[in-house]
Amino acid sequence: MERLSALRTRVVVMAGQEAPTVSRTRRKSATQHGGSTLADLHQALQDYLPVLLGLFKDGSQLQHNVQFAWMNQEDEAEETAISNAWYEVLSVLHLMAMLSLSQANLLLLPRTSCDGYQPKVSEENRRASVDIFLKAAGYLDCAVRHVLPQFPTSLREDLPVDLAEGVLRALCLQALGQGVDIQLGMAIDSAKATLAVKRRLACEMVKYWQQAQDNIMNLPLANGWGEKHRLFIKWKYVEAKAAAYYYHGLILDEGNTEKSHGMAVAALQAADEYFKESKRSCEAFNAASPLSRNPPLWGTMKYLSEKIPKDTSSKVRINRDLYSHEKIMETAPTLPDFSLALKPDEFQLPPVVPSWNEDNVGGGQASSNHLKGERR
């Protein structure tokens, strides 16, 4: 238990150092000193998890004797404390996923290139970020499929909304959706990628974000981080639809019939409307507390922000001149339904550390422990 407590304290100290300056919590750790990186904190969690899992060894009652407490971000309650070690495992996997998402986002920050041109994200970093998004999705998928089922129904109802099944599933799908977004950006930059490839990626991205929204829309997310999370998913979902309808419209326009050209006009008009809506959704996200600034466009949307209005205007004008109004659909055609290619990396809970097999392991004093942490 001393080793368990020491490893967890290490995690708490590092998490306090890595926490964003804008925090929901009204208190700060008194142990903030030194420095750490996301990688250090991730390693600390990996060291902690196999020791933590020893609480379940041979059906030990230790799993119920230690109270674990975490600060919440999206729940109305600032803190949730539960005397069940599965709550701690779930929280650790959630934090590992959040660290991975942060690591991927850092890789995607545009850097000033050595040739002096405007900042950009290297292809190497983009490919690496996709791998990290899949790793984050793997932690969350493990949490949903292997850890949540360990909770009795009554205890699952006591979990904060941060760890609700809908939020965990939404975060998993969000990671996959962001991964496809990066793949689409690389396809746009590739001379070999066809319109069909770009359309497929865009349509898959729509499905990921739609499923993420379906999982989170009815949850009681509190104002602040919770509401901002909901607005982020809404923004990215609308943005994905703009991209999908744009590429669908371009492919329809390659057809040789009046009907296909009419459908192309409707699809491109839908792309333009969704693009305008995505800008409003982005503004709503940034204006929600805690406030965030609107970053410069880059990647997929930098390209599409120029192409969608331009191509929609020109192709709509041409087709309206060629065909009667009756040949142009008033509503957008249905997007193609593609199977989803990206899957979460498989993550399995590690084996218990051998030290739990020592004869002197006991749990007589465990009930006095109260361990606290901060959820990101």
Side-chain angles (χ1 to χ4, degrees), residues 5-266:
S5 181
L7 286 169
R8 195 179 197 274
T9 298
R10 177 186 171 207
V11 169
V12 170
V13 172
M14 287 184 173
Q17 293 164 352
E18 288 297 330
T21 53
V22 178
S23 175
R24 162 154 187 227
T25 58
R26 294 186 294 275
R27 53 183 170 166
K28 291 186 177 180
S29 169
T31 56
Q32 289 185 3
H33 55 79
S36 66
T37 65
L38 292 176
D40 293 332
L41 179 51
H42 197 277
Q43 184 60 53
L45 290 164
Q46 289 182 309
D47 294 342
Y48 175 51
L49 197 52
V51 179
L52 171 65
L53 291 171
L55 294 175
F56 305 101
K57 187 176 181 297
D58 300 328
S60 170
Q61 286 304 303
L62 282 175
Q63 62 179 291
H64 304 295
N65 289 351
V66 185
Q67 187 179 64
F68 297 95
W70 285 79
M71 297 177 188
N72 304 313
Q73 292 291 349
E74 300 187 357
D75 197 276
E76 287 188 4
E78 182 174 333
E79 180 181 284
T80 300
I82 298 177
S83 297
N84 188 298
W86 283 118
Y87 170 60
E88 182 76 345
V89 174
L90 195 61
S91 298
V92 167
L93 289 177
H94 179 274
L95 180 50
M96 289 171 71
M98 295 302 100
L99 292 175
S100 297
L101 292 176
S102 295
Q103 186 181 359
N105 286 332
L106 287 174
L107 284 174
L108 295 173
L109 288 176
R111 311 287 182 187
T112 303
S113 55
C114 31
D115 55 15
Y117 289 99
Q118 65 181 49
K120 60 183 180 181
V121 182
S122 69
E123 183 166 339
E124 179 184 1
N125 278 9
R126 287 190 286 178
R127 291 187 184 281
S129 72
V130 174
D131 292 338
I132 297 173
F133 280 130
L134 297 183
K135 184 182 294 186
Y139 296 139
L140 295 159
D141 185 60
C142 176
V144 170
R145 295 197 299 119
H146 300 297
V147 180
L148 272 182
Q150 305 295 332
F151 288 83
T153 303
S154 58
L155 190 56
R156 284 181 69 162
E157 294 173 354
D158 293 335
L159 290 173
V161 72
D162 299 58
L163 299 180
E165 182 175 349
V167 169
L168 297 176
R169 288 187 182 277
L171 285 168
C172 179
L173 291 158
Q174 172 182 324
L176 297 174
Q178 289 184 275
V180 178
D181 193 2
I182 302 305
Q183 288 182 328
L184 176 58
M186 290 190 289
I188 289 172
D189 291 344
S190 171
K192 297 180 180 179
T194 63
L195 277 179
V197 168
K198 296 170 189 175
R199 179 179 67 173
R200 178 178 182 124
L201 288 170
C203 288
E204 287 183 36
M205 187 163 58
V206 169
K207 290 179 70 173
Y208 284 121
W209 287 110
Q210 180 179 14
Q211 291 177 28
Q213 181 168 274
D214 290 344
N215 275 282
I216 207 172
M217 62 188 306
N218 294 321
L219 292 174
L221 297 173
N223 290 335
W225 290 112
E227 181 61 20
K228 203 167 181 73
H229 188 188
R230 197 197 310 273
L231 289 170
F232 177 74
I233 289 178
K234 178 184 177 181
W235 163 31
K236 301 304 289 185
Y237 176 38
V238 176
E239 199 173 76
K241 286 198 285 188
Y245 275 108
Y246 172 71
Y247 286 113
H248 190 40
L250 292 186
I251 288 179
L252 288 171
D253 199 50
E254 291 181 340
N256 294 319
T257 66
E258 290 188 13
K259 181 179 179 181
S260 67
H261 289 298
M263 292 171 67
V265 168

Side-chain angles (χ1 to χ4, degrees), residues 251-301:
I251 288 179
L252 288 171
D253 199 50
E254 291 181 340
N256 294 319
T257 66
E258 290 188 13
K259 181 179 179 181
S260 67
H261 289 298
M263 292 171 67
V265 168
L268 289 169
Q269 287 177 323
D272 194 49
E273 288 301 316
Y274 281 124
F275 174 67
K276 292 173 182 175
E277 185 182 345
S278 75
K279 291 198 290 186
R280 295 191 294 269
S281 296
C282 177
E283 291 170 0
F285 166 78
N286 288 310
S289 179
L291 297 177
S292 52
R293 62 182 180 180
N294 191 4
L297 287 173
W298 69 277
T300 305
M301 286 316 295

